Amino acid sequence: MIIWLSSYPKNGNTWLRALISAYYYSDDGLFLGDRNLQNIQQFPVKKSLEGFNFDPSKPGESAKYWIPAQEKLNVDKKLRFLKTHSALVKLGQNDFTNKKNTLGCIYIVRDPRNVLDSMSRHFQIDHDKALSVMQDEKNFTYDFKKINDYSDYQFISSWEKNYQSWKNNRLIPIKFLRYEDLLKETFFVFKEVVEFIDMLINNKSGFNREKAKNAVKSTSFENLKKIEENNGFSESIIARKDKKKIPFFHLGPKNEWQKNFDNKFIEKINNIFQKNLDELNYL
């Protein structure tokens, strides 16, 4: 059965995956980079779509097989964590998931003002364009390194619709957390995540404090940055201009939106996201 690790892009999903993969896919809780993250793949997993008849050159065609693909993955009846940026929605007649295939979800949200700056840098677009993307309710993402292949299409919608679709769902159990809380009280918030997962999978062995400590320590931003510098990182991308790799782990906790925008733009984004900033206690 599937437990989703879900978020809007640049909300902290990679850090969450690092923590969980270190704890559940190692003996000692130490995070070793891509070899750990490979245990938590992004949906749609390529092999899950094999054998289904759809046109990969058409965005959204693979959505017809979201549920059958999950059924295919669940044949072995093993616990499976899957990453997604998809909103929890119905696309046409196609549900993203259902109770039969899903145990629950852990959703991580982040202050949209920091998301905006992080997206701008990662996707090499200016702040205005990033803001437009975050407000686009029809937005989707895919592996843009592939030409005319939308097999891994994810309908992410707007930043607001994305988090609300998961937070307010009545379909599956969800652990909803803020990136900032995970950053401030990493061990205690991660302990809550582990206890939520263990409740979903009926694991009676109890919380492994030492293993969790190792997971927290080995996935600190400084260590993740060092791992990327020494061994590379599969999710980094190539700059369009100089063709050099853009570091995935750039500023992390030092990314402070107040320093990245002028006063006029700050007023603009605060007005746009005011309802969400209030709801999520970011004001």
Side-chain angles (χ1 to χ4, degrees), residues 49-80:
L49 291 174
E50 291 175 353
F52 294 123
N53 184 25
F54 68 97
D55 185 350
S57 67
K58 295 181 179 179
E61 273 283 292
S62 59
K64 295 187 294 186
Y65 297 103
W66 279 341
I67 298 297
Q70 291 168 35
E71 292 172 344
K72 185 177 179 180
L73 289 171
N74 280 328
V75 166
D76 60 13
K77 297 183 180 180
K78 294 181 179 179
L79 171 65
R80 184 172 277 104

Side-chain angles (χ1 to χ4, degrees), residues 34-125:
D34 281 336
R35 73 180 75 176
N36 288 94
L37 286 182
Q38 288 170 1
N39 290 295
I40 304 178
Q41 298 183 58
Q42 179 171 284
F43 183 80
V45 179
K46 185 178 180 181
K47 69 176 182 179
S48 70
L49 291 174
E50 291 175 353
F52 294 123
N53 184 25
F54 68 97
D55 185 350
S57 67
K58 295 181 179 179
E61 273 283 292
S62 59
K64 295 187 294 186
Y65 297 103
W66 279 341
I67 298 297
Q70 291 168 35
E71 292 172 344
K72 185 177 179 180
L73 289 171
N74 280 328
V75 166
D76 60 13
K77 297 183 180 180
K78 294 181 179 179
L79 171 65
R80 184 172 277 104
F81 295 101
L82 289 177
K83 166 192 172 182
T84 186
H85 291 310
S86 287
L88 185 57
V89 296
K90 180 189 287 287
L91 195 61
Q93 298 300 311
N94 309 297
D95 289 315
F96 175 71
T97 191
N98 56 22
K99 288 184 178 180
K100 180 182 176 183
N101 289 288
T102 294
L103 281 175
C105 170
I106 303 156
Y107 190 98
I108 185 166
V109 70
R110 188 181 185 185
D111 189 317
R113 296 165 292 191
N114 275 332
V115 173
L116 193 155
D117 184 68
S118 187
M119 280 186 64
S120 173
R121 184 182 180 280
H122 184 75
F123 295 111
Q124 303 165 76
I125 54 180

Side-chain angles (χ1 to χ4, degrees), residues 22-23 25-32 210-215:
Y23 186 87
Y25 294 103
S26 75
D27 294 328
D28 51 17
L30 294 176
F31 181 73
L32 301 174
E210 290 306 311
K211 199 173 184 181
K213 284 182 178 179
N214 286 343

Side-chain angles (χ1 to χ4, degrees), residues 5 65 68 75 85 95 169 236 240-241 254 267:
L5 306 184
Y65 297 103
V75 166
H85 291 310
D95 289 315
N169 95 89
S236 62
R240 297 189 185 98
K241 291 183 179 180
K254 295 181 181 178
E267 183 178 358

Side-chain angles (χ1 to χ4, degrees), residues 9-265:
K10 309 309 294 180
N11 268 29
N13 196 304
T14 300
W15 185 22
L16 181 62
R17 287 163 57 218
L19 281 162
I20 290 173
S21 65
Y23 186 87
Y24 285 96
Y25 294 103
S26 75
D27 294 328
D28 51 17
L30 294 176
F31 181 73
L32 301 174
D34 281 336
R35 73 180 75 176
N36 288 94
L37 286 182
Q38 288 170 1
N39 290 295
I40 304 178
Q41 298 183 58
Q42 179 171 284
F43 183 80
V45 179
K46 185 178 180 181
K47 69 176 182 179
S48 70
L49 291 174
E50 291 175 353
F52 294 123
N53 184 25
F54 68 97
D55 185 350
S57 67
K58 295 181 179 179
E61 273 283 292
S62 59
K64 295 187 294 186
Y65 297 103
W66 279 341
I67 298 297
Q70 291 168 35
E71 292 172 344
K72 185 177 179 180
L73 289 171
N74 280 328
V75 166
D76 60 13
K77 297 183 180 180
K78 294 181 179 179
L79 171 65
R80 184 172 277 104
F81 295 101
L82 289 177
K83 166 192 172 182
T84 186
H85 291 310
S86 287
L88 185 57
V89 296
K90 180 189 287 287
L91 195 61
Q93 298 300 311
N94 309 297
D95 289 315
F96 175 71
T97 191
N98 56 22
K99 288 184 178 180
K100 180 182 176 183
N101 289 288
T102 294
L103 281 175
C105 170
I106 303 156
Y107 190 98
I108 185 166
V109 70
R110 188 181 185 185
D111 189 317
R113 296 165 292 191
N114 275 332
V115 173
L116 193 155
D117 184 68
S118 187
M119 280 186 64
S120 173
R121 184 182 180 280
H122 184 75
F123 295 111
Q124 303 165 76
I125 54 180
D126 63 30
H127 287 150
D128 285 309
K129 176 62 177 176
L131 179 58
S132 177
V133 168
M134 289 179 66
Q135 293 178 274
D136 184 0
E137 295 184 4
K138 297 182 179 180
N139 192 26
F140 65 89
T141 187
Y142 66 100
D143 186 351
F144 57 85
K145 295 188 292 293
K146 298 178 180 178
I147 300 175
N148 293 324
D149 185 353
Y150 298 90
S151 299
D152 64 345
Y153 172 96
Q154 297 179 79
F155 182 76
I156 65 176
S157 192
S158 67
W159 175 84
E160 176 184 16
K161 295 293 184 183
N162 190 287
Y163 92 76
Q164 288 191 348
S165 71
W166 289 93
K167 184 176 185 288
N168 299 320
N169 95 89
R170 297 182 179 179
L171 178 70
I172 58 174
I174 185 165
K175 175 67 176 175
F176 189 83
L177 59 131
R178 301 192 319 166
Y179 170 89
E180 292 78 9
D181 295 330
L182 185 61
L183 185 64
K184 184 178 180 180
E185 297 284 356
T186 307
F187 179 83
F188 296 106
V189 174
F190 182 54
K191 181 175 184 287
E192 292 178 359
V193 169
V194 170
E195 290 172 345
F196 174 75
I197 293 170
D198 286 349
M199 179 270 294
L200 291 177
I201 64 177
N202 197 31
N203 179 12
K204 304 294 187 180
S205 60
F207 177 69
N208 189 324
R209 181 172 293 272
E210 290 306 311
K211 199 173 184 181
K213 284 182 178 179
N214 286 343
V216 169
K217 185 176 180 179
S218 62
T219 60
S220 68
F221 183 78
E222 291 75 16
N223 197 53
L224 293 176
K225 194 174 180 69
K226 187 182 297 183
I227 289 174
E228 181 178 17
E229 289 170 352
N230 294 336
N231 305 313
F233 187 65
S234 59
E235 296 186 21
S236 62
I237 62 174
I238 304 296
R240 297 189 185 98
K241 291 183 179 180
D242 58 16
K243 303 303 179 183
K244 293 181 180 180
K245 277 201 171 185
I246 298 175
F248 188 88
F249 300 104
H250 177 51
L251 291 176
K254 295 181 181 178
N255 186 11
E256 300 176 7
W257 58 267
Q258 299 93 332
K259 299 178 181 178
N260 300 323
F261 312 126
D262 60 38
N263 290 335
K264 186 176 181 180
F265 193 76

